């Protein structure tokens, strides 16, 4: 199993600012993912965070808006840059360990 | 990209009634995973099915993978209020997960 923590758990930000979300895993994992989830909606994959190389972004998400770092096998950050109210959402990191995907508790972001 | 359709979107049941959610794909699925997300919580992995026609049980939950590996179902027998939440199916393929739209279950005591 894997235990994941995320910081911050929630934040309220002003438009035009940036927020960096941290994801810490209690074990070394190869695959780490970042998702966005609007209230009442499904999960949308933003990118796969690769250790030692650039993240792989999904269609509709770009590095300039959502830069990702993955300095080692237990940690990753996602930055939401130049925020607008449309970025208000829950951001979740997850890891794949064997067959199972484990999620962090999420970061609830409100942009005013 | 892969598309996994899930129905129904919502289901309201009386406690003690059964509940089923279905996942369908137009293409053959490599596998199917099921997750539960409680209100205000994060998704929690329940199970993975890989084989054609596979059936797995967890207490009151029964998971099925279709013979053609294009559909799957999650059935809950005699729902309880603790079953409230959103149930998602997902396929893991091409090094990422493709989630269904989810079924939100509400159980009235």
């Amino acid at each position: 199993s894997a235990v994941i923590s995320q910081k911050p758990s929630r934040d309220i930000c002003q438009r035009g600012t940036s927020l960096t979300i941290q994801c810490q895993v209690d074990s070394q994992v190869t695959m780490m993912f970042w998702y966005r989830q609007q209230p009442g909606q499904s999960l949308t994959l933003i990118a796969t965070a690769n250790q030692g190389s650039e993240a792989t972004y999904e269609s509709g998400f770009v590095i300039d808006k959502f830069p990702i770092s993955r300095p080692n096998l237990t940690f990753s950050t996602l930055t939401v840059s130049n925020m607008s109210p449309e970025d208000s959402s829950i951001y979740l990191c997850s890891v794949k360990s064997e067959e199972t995907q484990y999620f962090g508790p999420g970061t609830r972001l409100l942009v005013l | 990209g892969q598309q996994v359709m899930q129905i129904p979107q919502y289901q309201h049941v009386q406690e003690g009634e059964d509940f089923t959610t279905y996942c369908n794909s137009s293409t053959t699925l490599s596998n199917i995973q099921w997750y539960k997300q409680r209100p205000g919580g994060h998704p929690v992995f329940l199970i993975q099915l890989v084989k054609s026609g596979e059936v797995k049980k967890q207490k009151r939950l029964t998971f099925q993978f279709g013979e053609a590996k294009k559909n799957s179902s999650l059935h809950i027998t005699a729902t309880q209020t603790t079953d409230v939440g959103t149930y998602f199916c997902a396929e893991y393929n091409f090094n990422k997960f493709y989630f269904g739209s989810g079924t939100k279950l509400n159980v009235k005591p």
Side-chain angles (χ1 to χ4, degrees):
Chain A
S1 67
V3 177
I4 303 171
S5 60
Q6 272 185 248
K7 289 195 290 187
S9 58
R10 61 180 66 238
D11 208 342
I12 301 174
C13 301
Q14 297 297 319
R15 69 175 67 203
T17 62
S18 298
L19 176 73
T20 296
I21 302 167
Q22 298 179 6
C23 182
Q24 179 76 53
V25 191
D26 68 342
S27 58
Q28 293 188 338
V29 291
T30 304
M31 305 198 73
M32 188 177 275
F33 307 91
W34 285 98
Y35 292 88
R36 184 168 71 183
Q37 185 178 33
Q38 304 282 5
Q41 302 296 312
S42 187
L43 293 94
T44 301
L45 181 64
I46 297 171
T48 302
N50 306 307
Q51 195 267 331
S53 65
E54 276 195 7
T56 305
Y57 289 84
E58 296 301 303
S59 175
F61 298 96
V62 294
I63 188 171
D64 290 345
K65 175 67 176 177
F66 297 101
I68 287 171
S69 79
R70 180 88 196 270
N72 56 54
L73 292 175
T74 64
F75 186 78
S76 178
T77 66
L78 169 75
T79 299
V80 187
S81 304
N82 188 24
M83 288 184 285
S84 67
E86 292 70 37
D87 294 319
S88 298
S89 189
I90 300 170
Y91 292 84
L92 295 141
C93 68
S94 78
V95 302
K96 182 178 180 295
S97 178
E98 296 181 354
E99 296 179 344
T100 308
Q101 183 177 201
Y102 299 92
F103 284 86
T107 297
R108 287 157 177 76
L109 172 62
L110 176 63
V111 184
L112 302 176
Chain B
Q2 308 291 92
Q3 280 216 323
V4 182
M5 311 304 293
Q6 198 171 344
I7 55 170
Q9 188 175 4
Y10 301 99
Q11 187 81 56
H12 301 270
V13 300
Q14 198 73 38
E15 190 173 23
E17 293 181 337
D18 291 357
F19 159 77
T20 306
T21 173
Y22 301 90
C23 234
N24 299 294
S25 171
S26 58
T27 59
T28 302
L29 299 163
S30 299
N31 52 72
I32 195 79
Q33 298 189 343
W34 286 93
Y35 295 79
K36 177 184 179 181
Q37 185 173 24
R38 295 180 186 272
H42 58 276
V44 175
F45 174 86
L46 294 176
I47 209 158
Q48 175 171 281
L49 304 172
V50 178
K51 300 175 184 175
S52 168
E54 191 170 11
V55 177
K56 288 187 178 180
K57 294 191 175 185
Q58 289 179 351
K59 298 183 180 177
R60 294 178 294 104
L61 278 60
T62 302
F63 305 86
Q64 289 189 307
F65 203 6
E67 293 290 342
K69 298 181 72 173
K70 288 187 176 182
N71 56 74
S72 180
S73 65
L74 159 58
H75 179 83
I76 302 178
T77 304
T79 55
Q80 300 174 358
T81 54
T82 54
D83 295 325
V84 164
T86 302
Y87 293 84
F88 293 98
C89 62
E91 182 198 17
Y92 178 70
N93 204 354
F94 305 113
N95 291 323
K96 54 190 174 184
F97 294 89
Y98 300 87
F99 277 84
S101 51
T103 296
K104 187 173 182 179
L105 172 63
N106 187 38
V107 180
K108 290 178 285 186

